[in-house]
Amino acid sequence: NSVNSNSNNNKPLGTVRKLCLSSHLARTASILLDTTSTIRLYQDSLFHKRAGDGWTPWHSDARMAPFDTSNMITFWIPLQTVPSPGKKGGTGLHFVDGSHADIALPYWNGGEGDEYDRLENRYEGGGGGGVSHHMPLEVGDVTVHNGWTLHCADAAIEEDGGEDRYAFSVTYVDGRAELREDILPSSETKMDSVRGQTNDATTNGSTPNTKGDKEDVWSFRSWVEEVKPRTEFRHPSVPIVWPPEQRDDVE
């Protein structure tokens, strides 16, 4: 495994919930998304990368989400010091700058393949700035990326006292974003086997009968079954948190 993750920790943990529902983060999300829409709290995740774990491959978060939107944003918060790449102590994220606006990459190449092994060639000197990172990071720092931004993380060094790395993320989405019709598999049998499966060549990482990646289906299954696709909606599991006058009462 490249990393262990736990989602929606804000429900049982009061201090985590306070952070996720923070007006400061929600307002910042609204500014960075440059939208006049409401902002919805979608998901929080705790990531544990153990010393010796492999690299986390290139991926985009929005491909694993149930929404049909370009307006999704994630705050990635290290819970310890993250050194520069190649040094012991954990790994931060690498980003392909401008990839969130590259419609051609997934349209012509799908979600994986040879083109993803030469991203530096694709973006260097072009519309994006190539591959970048913001390490070293201290406690209190945060990186922010669009839901369609390609990002990855290096393998965690095990030799010479390499340390486990912990990070926390909070993801927000445009409050007007609608759910797609193809989120869940067509049968409960398929749904029950989603969590813990690895991607296979026949689905390109997608849940059967869906276009999205199946990795996070287990985390949103309980509430998407209660929401009608292609409609504006309110649900306490994914509350509206901005602006204050339209905020859901979920404290």
Side-chain angles (χ1 to χ4, degrees):
N1 292 334
S2 59
V3 69
N4 282 333
S5 65
N6 227 354
S7 294
N8 298 325
N9 306 275
N10 75 80
K11 291 177 173 60
L13 300 175
T15 53
V16 175
R17 187 165 181 78
K18 183 177 180 180
L19 172 65
C20 294
L21 295 173
S22 161
S23 293
H24 177 69
L25 283 184
R27 178 176 179 271
T28 303
S30 177
I31 292 170
L32 294 177
L33 287 174
D34 192 23
T35 179
T36 58
S37 173
T38 55
I39 296 296
R40 183 187 304 280
L41 170 62
Y42 164 49
Q43 188 181 74
D44 67 87
S45 299
L46 176 67
F47 298 100
H48 174 202
K49 190 149 195 165
R50 299 155 299 193
D53 278 347
W55 81 301
T56 303
W58 292 110
H59 65 282
S60 58
D61 300 334
R63 191 165 178 261
M64 295 178 277
F67 304 99
D68 181 0
T69 185
S70 297
N71 291 334
M72 182 171 143
I73 196 167
T74 294
F75 296 78
W76 193 86
I77 307 167
L79 301 182
Q80 65 205 76
T81 299
V82 177
S84 299
K87 297 185 178 181
K88 65 181 181 180
T91 61
L93 302 182
H94 296 261
F95 304 95
V96 182
D97 298 328
S99 57
H100 67 289
D102 187 358
I103 300 172
L105 178 64
Y107 186 87
W108 295 118
N109 302 281
E112 55 189 54
D114 293 342
E115 193 65 16
Y116 289 83
D117 295 328
R118 53 187 303 276
L119 294 173
E120 290 175 330
N121 303 73
R122 184 180 183 91
Y123 293 100
E124 193 70 50
V131 178
S132 67
H133 67 80
H134 301 283
M135 294 170 273
L137 296 168
E138 301 293 336
V139 174
D141 290 339
V142 59
T143 63
V144 189
H145 59 274
N146 182 277
W148 289 105
T149 298
L150 286 168
H151 55 287
C152 74
D154 290 331
I157 297 174
E158 185 174 19
E159 299 83 11
D160 302 321
E163 299 177 355
D164 291 8
R165 184 264 280 155
Y166 292 89
F168 184 74
S169 71
V170 189
T171 299
Y172 300 91
V173 67
D174 188 328
R176 296 172 302 185
E178 299 174 353
L179 298 185
R180 307 189 318 274
E181 302 92 338
D182 68 329
I183 302 167
L184 300 178
S186 57
S187 74
E188 287 295 318
T189 300
K190 292 175 181 176
M191 192 67 239
D192 291 340
S193 63
V194 163
R195 189 174 185 180
Q197 283 188 355
T198 55
N199 295 343
D200 59 64
T202 60
T203 63
N204 278 332
S206 298
T207 305
N209 305 312
T210 79
K211 294 184 177 68
D213 190 289
K214 64 190 175 184
E215 182 175 332
D216 282 357
V217 171
W218 64 271
S219 70
F220 55 69
R221 175 191 177 188
S222 62
W223 64 265
V224 297
E225 293 177 331
E226 300 173 357
V227 176
K228 183 179 179 180
R230 303 298 175 185
T231 60
E232 290 195 27
F233 69 95
R234 306 294 273 256
H235 195 284
S237 292
V238 281
I240 298 297
V241 292
W242 189 263
E245 62 272 15
Q246 298 186 54
R247 184 183 178 92
D248 287 334
D249 185 14
V250 290
E251 298 294 345

